[in-house]
Amino acid sequence: MQRVVQRTIGVVLAALALGISSTGVQAQNVIKIGAPFSLSGPFASFGQAGSAGVEMAVEELNRRGGITIGNTKYTVQMISEDTRSQVADTVSIMERLTREQKVAAVFGPIVGVLSTPGQEVTQAAKTIHFGPAVQWNALMGRPDKKYLVHTQVDDDLRYGAFVPLLVRETKIKSIALLGVNDATARSIMPKVAALMQKEGVKVVAEEYFERTTTDFSPFLTRIRSQKPDMLFFGYGDNFAVSILRQGVELNVAPHYSAFAGTSLTVPMQQALGKPVDSFIGMVANENLLQPLHDDVTKWIAAYKAKYNKDPAGTTDWAFSMYDYVFIWARAVQQAGTFTDSDKVIEKIRNTNYKGVLNIKIDGRGQADHDYDVGIIRNGKLTWQHVNVIK
Amino acid sequence: MLAIDRLSGGYRGGSVLFDVSLSVGAGEIVALIGPNGAGKTSVLRAISRTLPQSRGAISLNGEDIMRRTGHQVVALGVAHVPEGRRVFPRLTVRDNIALGAFVLDDHAKTAEAVANATDVFPALKSRLEQLAGTLSGGEQQMLALARGFVSNPKLMLLDEPSLGLSPRMTDEVFALIERLRTGGRSILLVEQNAILALEIADRGYVIEGGRIVTEGRSDELRRAELLQQSYLGHAG
Amino acid sequence: MTDLIQQLINGLLIGGLYALVALGISLVFGLTGMVNFAHGEVVMLGGYLTFTLTQSFGMPFLGSLVGSLLAGGLLGFAMDRTTFRYTRGTPMNGLVISLGLIMIFQSLAMTIWGTEPLTMDVLFPGAFQQWGLSLSIQKAITLVVTAVLIAGFGLFLVKSRAGRALRALAQEPEAAVYVGIPVERYIALSMVIGTALAAAAGAMFAALFSITPFVGTSLTAKGFIVVALGGMGSAAGTIAGGLLLGVMEALGAGYISAAFTDAYGLLLFLLVLSFKPAGLFGVSGRVKL
Amino acid sequence: MSARVSNLATWAVVLALLFAVPSVVGFDGALINIAVVIAINAILAFSLGILFGYAGQMSLAHAAFYGIGAYTAANIALKWGVSFWWCLPIAALAAMLVAAILSIVVTRMEGIVFSLGTYAVGEMIRLVFVNWWQVTGGPQGLSFQRRPESIFGLDFTTRGSFYYVVAAILVLSYLGIRKLMKSKLGWWFVALRENPVLAQSLGINVHLAKAIVFILSAGLAGVVGVLYLYNFRHISPEAFSVWESILLILIVMIGGVGTMAGPIIGAAVFLVLPEVLRLPPTVQPVLIGVVLILVVVLLPRGVVGTFEDWWKARRIKGQAVPKEAA
């Protein structure tokens, strides 16, 4: 049903966007960037965060004087679009952004189910496209995907550091893996399983569940009979709290649970003070619960000031977009053009950037950056910073 | 008691009644006879306000009921025993009779009324806890009559009570109907079996194609040659 | 063996909730022939209301549950009076209206509570642990409350004057008019009772699992499957159908694969309905409730 | 003016209007896209209309069949390079084949149980789309960058030209269904809707008639799947869920059940109405919901059905002269 709701909203927004584009004054010194995110629908919590990240960055950028090319000063205009969490809408929006709005770059969506079909359009239109989707791992370095920038640490690298840390901290001998039945989990879980086996940990179960699941007890019961030392139930942020609670109730893996995701702060908060002996989790970027860096603290203050609310778990996705707006702006300025994507992408590749995150982009457009790991022991939460950038 | 003046009406597909006028006096049994599809049931439905469309005038004891709804008409003292009995099959006989006294809205009164009804319909006494759907056709007819009788109505509308019953059972049912008129109760009896109906009725109306074609005292109607040929022949 | 018993408990728990949701659908469908897809939205709203009452206003869980139940009944009454009563002659139009209501309710829920799943704090920590089985106190309470509500509903149908009138109305609508049952009022009553039970199910659902604005639609679908499985309009069949669906899903997800959780119930449904079109406990023809 | 001439004139006007759309809204851009989407939805609503409007069977598996068409086309086009024009009939056949197998089960069901049975079928097909990775690409779906091949020297790579393909199929399916409805089979379908018991007693094989309707409507849905694929260039399971089928039923009902113009009007109303209202995303669905409810309460026979009633009433009133004299 939500599809019906979303479609109706979609047509309206399309019409609105059309109205704006036809009546809007085509200002001289403006560079447009597209920001298609899921502002509504099931992925709205991710999309709203991503959109906020771009919005904050664009405002900040313009406040600092925008982008200067030659002697001309440009302000950056963010064209915000709502994908309604739907693939069909995302594809149409991408076409509109690249063909009609002729945006210089596209940021988003967050979720791979949407951004993967979306990049087909942007790459055909030679538009620079930033996104964090796990599915993009496989695309990086392909000649026909020249204008992609993958804003999320490569999974091999990320889990390559996380899994050994996890095994070292807990000394587990066996593990059960549980993930939502989607492309992301289907890509991550086998990697985690392989890494675990390399560490000498036995994988006793690897299970995928439907996105609509609310009652996890049937397969948690089955997993319990395998007696794993640890239940690993990430990614799948939306389900984390439910699984953690039901797992504890059923006494599955009585000692350790682990989770990898972005909105880790939520299950962390919920798990604190609850009968979880030991819980280990990784956030995609930086933890917002107890920031380990001043830059993050400052960023949170700015976020609170702008949106008048505390950062939620998914706010982490705002990072995923925020720094990259500046990386793109720096590249445009260095290249001296915003229309020639070939020149701009050259200035993005093989660079380092110290923003809120410490980012390094390789020759394929793949970004690496640091992230945090949180550990709960006896109800006490501590954080470890994992340095990916050597 | 009941006066219908130039009633027309029908269903969404079209009209089935045209300028029907009839009356039933206090304590009177009036038969409404006619062939299948003549509009007999529709007249009863119009009185009970379940006919989708109707125009004209229907009054009960001088009170206009055209703007009343079905249950309000029941509250005014009308009991409709529909064609094919329409007992509530998955309820017990006792519950069926008790529902007949629904308008009484009183637990004690209902219990008393149910007891009274079983005195009038002794055949049901031994079957009170049985599901109504398991009764025989004749017993179901008895139950339907009892369900109508239990609210102590002033007017009873009986639709084809003989339908599908054996001759012996039919006689029994009709004997009962005669007894129901006690205490000034009026009865409008719809029947295809004209001979039987006119035997117990005081007066009768003949309806055909949605129009009243003949009316008169029962004995007159029985004697009418036309009637002999067209209807009584079938029944005899 | 322990696992099997545990799975049966899991299945009966969720199945009981399915039955609570489905009873209202069965009741309203039995009386009006109308398919109300917005029924599940009442579950969703009941869940959110309980969430807000306990989390924000600090009400005890059972108090919130009763509050949701009453609010659900009120909502059912309002829906019937403002919309559904105009579709008595054409039940199919009731379907369109219910889709309109879904849009309104989902949008309201998204505006008020957001799209992220909300999970309530653990209200009753702890669990009964015995013979390798475990049953959290929250689940035990859910089982008891579900049983009480279902039993109460059954008693109401069989013993009370209003319950008998409802059954009569479902079995022989025309005859029900002739004994003086005010049809409109009783259809509204069935709506009120059905939505009240749905809201109560939502309250327990929210406390056990998590809640989003989108949970209603899949619950509506499950509810209809349960009703058809048990036999259209048969209250006892609906309860049995709910429990059966819950157990089937639990066993399927527990022993085969979690990726097809929804498919086990659907497969069961197709099989049963292919061989017994009237459902497991249904009687063909117009016999109802 | 004879009825035949006036009929031809109506057709000429309708065809001219359909033909003129791209010239008015442009051959590229969002407006022509909306026109294409309306036309696609109208064909889908037609195909559902055979089943729901004419035969009275409310199927919730419809979107699944159009999904089967889309996935079939995507696979044969990507793997073997089958052209767009061959994809159309092959996708139709694929959908019909699946429908034929499923019809064994669902045609035994009646009324609401039929709807629930088709719900179960539709949902299980969606689960297959989600889990059969090798063929469907899983939850993420398949990307598809091909355009319809040139035929008779005509180029179909722009949206405007693709619109003509969709419009042509719209007109053809309209004509086809009209012809079908006037045939003996069409009479069977109506008998099936109005009174299945009577239909059976008249010697109509109810199961067979139901199965034929089910399979035919699935075939047309399969064709629409190909159009969807070539228009959106990406397919994923959620586009073919049961809720998509419900949206279609909504379109048919808003337009008017059992009418031919209904689906087009319904699709247009449902897709254009939001554009006219132009409200913030939180208010919009609420208002659409309210409008839906009002339409049903005030126009119980749908837009077209109510118009027909009004038109008939007007004509009867205004026609003092008998028809033969006119």
Side-chain angles (χ1 to χ4, degrees), chain B residues 21 24 37 44 56 66 72 93 101 109 119 121 137 139 144 152 159-160 195 205:
Chain B
S21 297
V24 181
L44 297 193
M66 287 302 278
Q72 288 172 333
V93 170
K109 268 193 214 159
D119 288 343
F121 300 87
E139 288 167 334
N152 195 19
D159 199 346
E160 306 274 5
I195 289 186
Y205 293 83

Side-chain angles (χ1 to χ4, degrees), chain C residues 99-183:
Chain C
L99 295 177
L101 289 172
I102 290 178
M103 289 188 184
I104 295 171
F105 291 149
Q106 279 193 1
S107 188
L108 277 178
M110 279 192 255
T111 312
I112 300 173
W113 291 286
T115 51
E116 265 191 84
L118 294 182
T119 311
M120 282 160 75
D121 293 338
V122 179
L123 301 168
F124 306 96
F128 301 111
Q129 307 271 2
Q130 193 73 42
W131 310 299
L133 298 173
S134 71
L135 181 67
S136 71
I137 295 178
Q138 181 73 49
K139 285 191 175 176
I141 289 175
T142 303
L143 277 174
V144 171
V145 173
T146 306
V148 166
L149 285 175
I150 288 179
F153 177 77
L155 279 177
F156 162 79
L157 266 193
V158 177
K159 294 285 175 197
S160 76
R161 174 173 177 267
R164 276 199 297 265
L166 279 177
R167 292 163 68 205
L169 191 54
Q171 290 170 19
E172 284 295 346
E174 198 181 332
V177 177
Y178 299 150
V179 297
I181 295 170
V183 176

Side-chain angles (χ1 to χ4, degrees), chain A residues 1 4 207 218 221-222 225 245, chain C residues 3 7 102-103 120 253-254 258:
Chain A
M1 192 60 224
V4 180
E207 185 83 38
T221 302
R222 171 159 42 128
S225 67
R245 171 181 297 180
Chain C
D3 272 1
Q7 296 290 20
I102 290 178
M103 289 188 184
M120 282 160 75

Side-chain angles (χ1 to χ4, degrees), chain D residues 221-237:
Chain D
V223 170
V224 182
V226 185
L227 300 179
Y228 180 98
L229 175 73
Y230 276 81
N231 185 58
F232 289 103
R233 292 171 199 147
H234 186 277
I235 48 174
S236 57

Side-chain angles (χ1 to χ4, degrees), chain C residues 211-230:
Chain C
I211 189 146
T212 72
F214 313 116
V215 293
T217 45
S218 81
L219 282 170
T220 303
K222 291 230 165 93
F224 273 104
I225 295 284
V226 162
V227 172
L229 198 58

